[in-house]
Amino acid sequence: MTNLQGRRLTLLLLLTFALPLATRAQQPFYTDDADVTAKGKLHFEFSDEYDALQHSLFPSRAQNTADAELDFGLGHDIEVGIESPLITISNARGTVPSAFGLGDTNLSAKYNFIKEDEGRRHPAFAASLNIELPTGDPARKLGSGLTDVWLNGIMQKSLSRRTKLRLNSGILFAGNTTTGVVGIKTRGRVFTGGGSLVRQFTKRLDLGAEVAGAVTGNFQLGRGQLQTLFGGNYAVRKNFTFDFGIIAGRYSASPRLGVQLGISYDF
């Protein structure tokens, strides 16, 4: 094995325990959880995220993403969902017009094939398949103009009664990871990874942190994604939470700074 191959293998292993960026679940975190919506039930999430962009994305300076997701328990341990963002891109004055409109629509399916049984050491495992349709206008950078196909593996382990660790590892086979101007624009294979640690501090309040990462198939870090998020959920009612997070990232594919507010509701 050459030194270059060794560095690439090390980077891939690190990303396997870093974080995914394609689907949203377990708001405000980007790391997906192994749980699925109960059979015949609906789960709704809405979030609004405002991001200050990296300077390398000039003339685009900021992006606001209002995102709605609806999940349905299709059968035994199987969930399907649809997610669609409404994007506003703010550009510098005197350059190009700012843009507003529908982004690309994501269709997803998740299967929880191993549960974490109480009293046993093995974690829960799940897998999800996501297909993102090019419903956004690529001329205004609201969409990629590509059909994205992404497969993600999920591990979830309770470290204590109140603390959960979640790890994701995935691969984008086709398309790219962009949402508006945020994300990897390079077309082709992208490796993603993920992990979050969340603790229940009170009966109503959960707080946690994550690190998110993605890299192109040729491991060009300058075009990659790396970001952290600190946030949590406050249970207003048993089936209704208020979600919040603060984001910081580096490399051009990640927001420089961001804040996210949202709600989650179980029907």
Side-chain angles (χ1 to χ4, degrees), residues 32-54:
D32 206 351
D33 56 14
D35 304 322
V36 295
T37 305
K39 182 179 179 180
K41 300 295 185 180
L42 288 169
H43 173 77
F44 174 74
E45 293 180 356
F46 175 81
S47 68
D48 191 87
E49 180 175 317
Y50 181 84
D51 295 318
L53 303 176
Q54 301 288 349

Side-chain angles (χ1 to χ4, degrees), residues 22 25 56 58 70 81 95 136 171 204 210 216 256:
S56 59
F58 184 86
L70 185 65
T95 56
I171 181 170
R204 292 180 179 266
E210 71 177 4
T216 61
R256 183 161 47 92

